[in-house]
Amino acid sequence: MITSEQEKRIKNYLLGCGLAINIMLEIKDHMIAQLDELMFKGKNFEDAFDEVKKLWEPELKPARMFLFSAGRMPKIQKKLISKESNIFWMKALLFSLIVLGMFIVLAKTMNNESFSYFYRAYYILAFAVVTYILISNYKIFIIKRKFRHHKIATSQYLISSIFTGLLYNLLELLSFDDRPAKFYENINSSNHILYVPFLWIIVANGFLVYGILAFLNYKKEVKTVENFLKTN
């Protein structure tokens, strides 16, 4: 059986590799099971630990975080984050295309003034919803600050995009170039269609939805490690 001191060594080793706490706890459990098996066969802890570390070495070796990032993280963590990120982006893109389609249909069926009101109201609502989500979950930021030397969960690497999305929405609300009217005129123009307004809507909503999904997933991941956070 593993002693509490030995378990602490495993935990510190994994955190030292750069793992987020939620992934560290999962891998720690796997390591302990492997160590118990090796020690049952007669190996002492040190030899068994060295052997288990070698088994995990391919997954724990440092890999570049992002394409142009100088930072590094364990390979297994990068794979998990990439998988989460791809799912979030697909959902965000789908939502953005639905919003774009909705705006196009409304621009075709409403007059300019009504469309402008709806356009503004949508972004006011989006800004209000995201602001509410952040404020109502303020405790998460307190926990994040307390454990600032370690990432609590894998989604923590992704949640900054929610602030990018908020910024895009704020720019939309404060725009002085009357973007709703330009979008309306663009859709109803008989000459040509400019695709920049389309791209703006996709980007603005994409970052916002991606950030919301990442933040809510981060909140869920934090709950899974609550017991660890309370005792450390």
Side-chain angles (χ1 to χ4, degrees):
M1 288 291 293
I2 300 296
T3 67
S4 58
E5 194 62 35
Q6 290 167 341
E7 185 175 344
K8 187 177 179 181
R9 278 188 61 188
I10 300 166
K11 179 196 76 173
N12 291 337
Y13 167 73
L14 293 173
L15 289 175
C17 290
L19 288 170
I21 291 172
N22 67 323
I23 301 301
M24 177 276 291
L25 291 174
E26 288 186 30
I27 294 179
K28 179 171 70 72
D29 290 341
H30 286 297
M31 277 191 163
I32 289 174
Q34 291 169 321
L35 285 165
D36 282 338
E37 185 178 345
L38 290 171
M39 291 170 71
F40 180 76
K41 292 178 180 178
K43 291 197 174 186
N44 60 46
F45 174 78
E46 295 300 333
D47 291 340
F49 193 25
D50 286 339
E51 188 171 330
V52 169
K53 282 193 286 187
K54 285 180 182 177
L55 289 172
W56 282 93
E57 189 175 355
E59 296 290 355
L60 296 177
K61 69 179 181 180
R64 194 182 295 276
M65 285 188 188
F66 305 106
L67 185 59
F68 300 107
S69 171
R72 293 181 173 274
M73 68 170 66
K75 185 179 178 181
I76 188 172
Q77 184 163 281
K78 181 183 176 181
K79 287 192 291 187
L80 290 169
I81 291 173
S82 295
K83 184 179 178 181
E84 283 182 351
S85 183
N86 290 338
I87 293 171
F88 296 157
W89 274 126
M90 283 191 290
K91 291 180 178 180
L93 178 60
L94 177 61
F95 181 86
S96 299
L97 291 173
I98 290 172
V99 171
L100 176 60
M102 176 184 69
F103 281 158
I104 291 172
V105 170
L106 291 176
K108 288 285 188 182
T109 56
M110 286 180 166
N111 59 47
N112 195 341
E113 186 178 3
S114 298
F115 176 76
S116 293
Y117 279 132
F118 183 88
Y119 191 98
R120 297 286 187 195
Y122 169 82
Y123 280 103
I124 290 170
L125 179 63
F127 188 86
V129 168
V130 176
T131 302
Y132 171 77
I133 289 172
L134 293 174
I135 292 174
S136 62
N137 291 285
Y138 72 93
K139 290 182 180 179
I140 285 181
F141 294 101
I142 297 174
I143 296 171
K144 181 172 174 283
R145 180 171 175 79
K146 181 182 176 183
F147 290 87
R148 58 186 177 276
H149 299 300
H150 298 290
K151 298 293 185 186
I152 297 174
T154 50
S155 294
Q156 192 170 335
Y157 287 92
L158 310 174
I159 59 175
S160 60
S161 55
I162 197 170
F163 299 105
T164 305
L166 268 179
L167 177 61
Y168 275 121
N169 274 260
L170 188 60
L171 291 173
E172 198 67 47
L173 293 173
L174 299 177
S175 61
F176 298 104
D177 57 354
D178 200 13
R179 194 169 284 123
K182 287 188 176 181
F183 183 91
Y184 183 88
E185 291 170 9
N186 183 37
I187 292 299
N188 291 284
S189 171
S190 58
N191 297 323
H192 60 277
I193 295 177
L194 299 174
Y195 293 97
V196 173
F198 294 0
L199 183 62
W200 176 265
I201 288 173
I202 291 172
V203 170
N205 285 280
F207 271 103
L208 195 66
V209 174
Y210 178 92
I212 291 171
L213 292 172
F215 185 81
L216 294 178
N217 197 61
Y218 174 62
K219 179 183 176 182
K220 184 175 69 175
E221 289 175 340
V222 169
K223 284 188 177 294
T224 65
V225 298
E226 272 184 337
N227 290 336
F228 177 88
L229 298 177
K230 287 176 182 177
T231 56
N232 286 269

